[in-house]
Amino acid sequence: MASRILLPALLFLLCSHCGCAARSSRGGESGSAVKFDFSPFLIEYKSGVVKRLMGTDRVAAAADALTGVTSRDVTIDPATGVAARIYLPSFRAATKVPVLVYFHGGAFVVESAFNPIYHAYLNTLAAKAGVVAVSVDYRLAPENPLPAAYDDSWAALKWVLANAAPGADQWLSQYGDTSRLFLAGDSAGGNIAHNLALRAGEEGLDGGARIKGVALLDPYFQGRSAVGAQAMDPSFLQSAARTWSFICAGKYPIDHPYANPLTLPAASWQHLGCSRVLVTVSGQDRLNPWQRAYYSTLRSSGWPGQAELYETPGEGHVYFLTKLSTPQAQAEMATLVAFINRDD
């Protein structure tokens, strides 16, 4: 159990050590040669078999005795299998509360909204922030390469807005206040949240809805070249480009704005469709130069909203998922809760 808990906290970072190259000489349990080794996440064989090495555990929706939050699962799109888990805190009286749409991490290739780690995190977040939370289970690469995760998440966002209408989903329509709509995600999920906010600003949302805030928790942003003053191991950058190509089946280069928002045209930043953005950075995260640059670029872009940067020294990528009870994770959770509940 310990190894299953520790590995998700590493997410994209360990691939810099293994190289994540295609290794045709290495066989696997399938008896087929390896097409692409994306350890510690998965291995794809030339036979077409994909063996996930982590992130496959699931836990059922239920009432959580520790937090008082109740959850249930819904189907977003029967054709694609896209689903979500909705979290409802216990309320003392009927009231309308913010709606939070959450996107899990996992390098776009592992994890799910039903994973025990994410289930515990969303129970805690929903309870502390007092929100109706919708955790999206989007399709994963390589079976469904990008932009599938973006399209699925966009469909889920539209589903949330439609089902907050009177007579639709019981929890969302009775308790959800979509005038206080937030997006959040960690790692790959943070990448998704950013790209959805950008799409919302460019295309608009149904019924004229607007996103109040977006929380990017150690978001997965990177590019072909190092940014800032920090030197980067060339092998890390090369590996990042290979794995990104694997995630999107070669459709987008690593410097496409999907992966590297720093390449966005200057005018595009002003279209980011939300009023506030929170970016969190962990000190030992090798992606933090791009995360810091994202925050700085957004602030200087002319975007009319408010941007906030929160840093946790000495911790690794998305540490807060597996160290939820530590003072550092609790302080970061408190920052996220305050971001959601701020009056402005």
Side-chain angles (χ1 to χ4, degrees), residues 53 142 153 163 204-205 213 342:
L53 308 176
S153 299
N163 280 272
L205 291 171
R342 183 184 311 156

Side-chain angles (χ1 to χ4, degrees), residues 8-48:
L10 302 178
L11 287 176
F12 189 73
L13 302 183
L14 290 183
C15 65
S16 64
H17 300 294
C18 69
C20 297
R23 299 175 187 172
S24 60
S25 62
R26 176 175 156 189
E29 293 180 2
S30 66
S32 174
V34 171
K35 181 179 180 181
F36 195 90
D37 188 336
F38 196 176
S39 298
F41 307 111
L42 60 76
I43 298 173
E44 183 182 28
Y45 297 96
K46 289 186 176 180
S47 65

Side-chain angles (χ1 to χ4, degrees), residues 4-11 54 102-106 111-112 115-122 124-125 185-189 217-218 282 315-326 328-330 332-333 336:
R4 292 202 303 270
I5 291 175
L6 290 173
L7 282 173
L10 302 178
L11 287 176
M54 58 172 285
Y102 192 90
F103 309 99
H104 69 81
E111 302 294 355
S112 78
N115 181 275
I117 291 173
Y118 283 101
H119 184 67
Y121 184 78
L122 266 296
T124 302
L125 178 56
D186 65 279
S187 193
L217 311 178
D218 293 8
S282 297
E315 293 288 356
H317 190 59
V318 297
Y319 75 94
F320 46 83
L321 292 175
T322 55
K323 298 181 177 180
L324 195 53
S325 63
T326 64
Q328 294 89 340
Q330 289 181 2
E332 182 157 331
M333 174 71 74
L336 177 56

Side-chain angles (χ1 to χ4, degrees), residues 283-300:
Q284 294 183 3
D285 186 351
R286 294 186 72 174
L287 302 182
N288 74 49
W290 288 277
Q291 296 158 358
R292 296 176 193 277
Y294 175 95
Y295 166 76
S296 298
T297 303
L298 178 60
R299 287 203 60 184
S300 62

Side-chain angles (χ1 to χ4, degrees), residues 184-301:
D186 65 279
S187 193
N191 177 295
I192 291 172
H194 157 77
N195 280 294
L196 259 61
L198 196 62
R199 183 171 176 178
E202 293 171 345
E203 299 181 15
L205 291 171
D206 296 342
R210 287 187 56 82
I211 300 167
K212 194 169 187 68
V214 176
L216 310 179
L217 311 178
D218 293 8
Y220 169 24
F221 297 142
Q222 57 185 349
R224 187 172 302 280
S225 303
V227 296
Q230 182 174 340
M232 276 284 171
D233 180 356
S235 65
F236 174 79
L237 297 172
Q238 293 164 8
S239 176
R242 287 194 298 268
T243 52
W244 173 259
S245 181
F246 174 74
I247 291 164
C248 67
K251 190 169 184 178
Y252 311 107
I254 187 67
D255 275 333
H256 188 280
Y258 279 160
N260 185 5
L262 303 181
T263 63
L264 281 167
S268 294
W269 288 90
Q270 299 180 36
H271 297 158
L272 194 67
C274 58
S275 302
R276 293 189 272 117
V277 171
L278 169 66
V279 182
T280 74
V281 175
S282 297
Q284 294 183 3
D285 186 351
R286 294 186 72 174
L287 302 182
N288 74 49
W290 288 277
Q291 296 158 358
R292 296 176 193 277
Y294 175 95
Y295 166 76
S296 298
T297 303
L298 178 60
R299 287 203 60 184
S300 62
S301 67

